[in-house]
């Protein structure tokens, strides 16, 4: 497979008569339709999403990771783009987070590859995690034991959100057999998050916001009741959001950080129908900010 012209130009730009301007290439991979990803030893990153933006899931993953406050590309351990099929890839980070996109038939193989990659670095990762906890690493997961009713509400809501996001992403991809994205939030959670549909189902952009279940939005504080009364608001306060997320049984700083990415207003807006896009973006921004507050409170509490 020939080197994409844009990648060749990137590497030539890095190499000067005096040597590598941003350090020699550390990882270089390219895929179908002129897509590529390259990172230098000094952390310079360049990527292209292929002809006619045929690598939408890959592009979204890069944007999600770059949106994380403390993420640095030096944390990237491995990445590979499929040279024969658009928008199929796997990317693995040193902090045991990974993302990938592949068709449904190969989902198990992709997940097995990522988990095997982690297992080979198990001892090194444990040592690194221990050092982080002794310094200024992220807060430890909180011990939560949600009641069965709340947990059922969360699981139903979370599944509906994941499927609606998946359908919207498939609609953006514009093809029935769009690759399915998997993302593992951490090695301990063992939970995959679908963000696009496989099979032959047709995708559909979002036309309404996935509000929290009414049975969860029960906070009666006066200031919160006033906030929730806004006609075009989120219909929930931070206490309601906190109650719902704790029902997941996975509540922690890292879990909230990953959940927040799903509600980034720009990302959410791309999943919406045009006449709902502005309203949807504003509601997603409210959710994004509330999760950010919960993360800050968790840091203070611990």
């Amino acid at each position: 497979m020939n080197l994409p012209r844009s990648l060749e130009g990137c590497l030539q730009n890095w190499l000067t008569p005096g040597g590598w301007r941003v350090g020699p290439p550390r990882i270089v991979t390219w895929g179908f339709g002129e897509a590529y990803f390259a990172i230098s030893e000094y952390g310079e990153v360049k990527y292209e999403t292929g002809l006619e933006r045929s690598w939408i899931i890959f592009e979204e993953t890069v944007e999600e990771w770059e949106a994380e406050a403390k993420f640095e590309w030096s944390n990237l351990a491995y990445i590979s783009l499929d040279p024969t099929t658009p928008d199929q890839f796997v990317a693995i980070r040193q902090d045991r987070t990974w993302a990938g996109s592949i068709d449904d038939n190969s989902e198990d193989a992709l997940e097995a590859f990522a988990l095997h990659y982690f297992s080979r670095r198990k001892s090194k990762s444990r040592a690194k995690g221990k050092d982080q906890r002794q310094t200024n690493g992220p807060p430890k997961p909180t011990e939560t034991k949600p009641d069965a009713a709340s947990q059922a509400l969360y699981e139903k809501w979370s599944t509906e959100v994941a499927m609606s996001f998946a359908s919207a992403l498939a609609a953006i991809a514009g093809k029935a057999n769009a690759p399915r994205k998997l993302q593992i939030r951490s090695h301990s959670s063992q939970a995959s998050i679908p963000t696009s549909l496989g099979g032959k189902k047709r995708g559909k952009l979002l036309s309404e916001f996935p509000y929290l279940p009414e049975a969860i939005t029960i906070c009666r504080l006066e200031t919160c009741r006033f906030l929730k009364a806004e006609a075009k608001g989120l219909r929930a306060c931070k206490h309601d959001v906190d109650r719902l997320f704790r029902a997941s049984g996975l509540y922690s700083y890292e879990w909230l950080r990953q959940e927040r990415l799903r509600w980034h207003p720009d990302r959410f807006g791309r999943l919406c129908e045009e006449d709902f896009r502005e309203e949807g973006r504003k509601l997603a921004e409210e959710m994004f900010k509330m999760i950010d507050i919960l993360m800050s409170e968790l840091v203070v509490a611990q």
Side-chain angles (χ1 to χ4, degrees):
M1 184 177 180
N2 295 329
L3 197 70
R5 285 176 295 179
S6 53
L7 173 57
E8 184 177 1
C10 166
L11 297 177
Q12 289 177 349
N13 184 50
W14 286 359
L15 182 61
T16 68
W20 292 101
R21 180 174 57 84
V22 293
R26 182 167 75 87
I27 301 177
V28 176
T29 179
W30 61 95
F32 181 87
E34 300 292 312
Y36 76 86
F37 180 94
I39 180 172
S40 75
E41 288 290 352
Y42 297 167
E44 181 80 5
V45 170
K46 295 291 183 181
Y47 69 94
E48 291 288 347
T49 56
L51 302 175
E52 298 181 353
R53 296 188 69 237
S54 55
W55 289 71
I56 294 177
I57 301 176
F58 167 64
E59 179 182 16
E60 185 177 81
T61 299
V62 172
E63 291 177 353
E64 285 179 359
W65 287 6
E66 288 185 333
E68 296 180 24
K70 297 182 180 180
F71 174 73
E72 295 181 359
W73 281 109
S74 58
N75 189 30
L76 182 68
Y78 177 85
I79 184 171
S80 179
L81 308 186
D82 192 323
T84 62
T85 306
D87 221 7
Q88 292 197 159
F89 71 97
V90 61
I92 303 175
R93 292 163 31 170
Q94 297 285 0
D95 63 3
R96 306 172 76 82
T97 295
W98 70 273
S101 173
I102 202 165
D103 63 87
D104 287 342
N105 294 332
S106 305
E107 174 186 330
D108 291 341
L110 179 64
E111 187 165 352
F113 171 83
L115 296 181
H116 179 66
Y117 187 95
F118 288 140
S119 67
R120 291 182 60 189
R121 289 158 176 76
K122 188 174 182 180
S123 59
K124 181 178 179 180
S125 297
R126 282 182 175 176
K128 182 178 180 181
K130 183 177 180 181
D131 292 341
Q132 289 177 337
R133 289 192 294 270
Q134 291 174 346
T135 56
N136 294 320
K140 298 178 182 179
T142 58
E143 296 295 332
T144 58
K145 294 182 179 180
D147 63 88
S150 296
Q151 191 167 27
L153 284 171
Y154 169 79
E155 290 177 354
K156 182 177 183 297
W157 175 83
S158 181
T159 299
E160 291 174 351
V161 169
M163 293 306 297
S164 63
F165 283 17
S167 179
L169 194 58
I172 293 174
K175 51 187 177 180
N177 293 318
R180 180 172 182 264
K181 179 180 175 183
L182 306 173
Q183 179 158 324
I184 298 297
R185 296 179 172 183
S186 68
H187 183 59
S188 60
S189 74
Q190 298 288 319
S192 60
I193 308 167
T195 54
S196 69
L197 289 175
K200 297 183 178 180
K201 297 181 180 179
R202 297 181 62 84
K204 181 179 182 299
L205 293 174
L206 300 176
S207 58
E208 59 183 8
F209 192 81
Y211 294 102
L212 274 62
E214 291 185 5
I216 288 290
T217 56
I218 58 176
C219 178
R220 293 293 181 265
L221 291 177
E222 190 63 29
T223 53
C224 295
R225 291 176 63 182
F226 177 79
L227 175 68
K228 291 189 284 187
E230 294 183 9
K232 294 186 177 181
L234 193 59
R235 304 178 188 173
C237 64
K238 70 170 185 176
H239 307 104
D240 298 326
V241 175
D242 180 76
R243 184 178 298 106
L244 178 67
F245 286 171
R246 286 185 183 276
S248 69
L250 301 170
Y251 197 91
S252 68
Y253 182 91
E254 174 63 21
W255 188 89
L256 286 172
R257 184 176 66 84
Q258 292 290 337
E259 180 66 29
R260 183 181 61 173
L261 292 175
R262 294 208 293 174
W263 304 99
H264 190 284
D266 292 337
R267 177 179 184 264
F268 188 89
R270 291 198 296 268
L271 303 179
C272 298
E273 292 183 356
E274 186 174 355
D275 58 355
F276 175 66
R277 188 162 298 150
E278 189 60 31
E279 180 183 352
R281 185 182 287 114
K282 290 180 179 178
L283 290 169
E285 185 175 9
E286 285 190 48
M287 177 72 92
F288 185 91
K289 289 179 178 178
M290 284 191 182
I291 298 174
D292 195 60
I293 292 172
L294 295 178
M295 291 170 61
S296 299
E297 291 180 347
L298 200 57
V299 171
V300 173
Q302 297 185 357

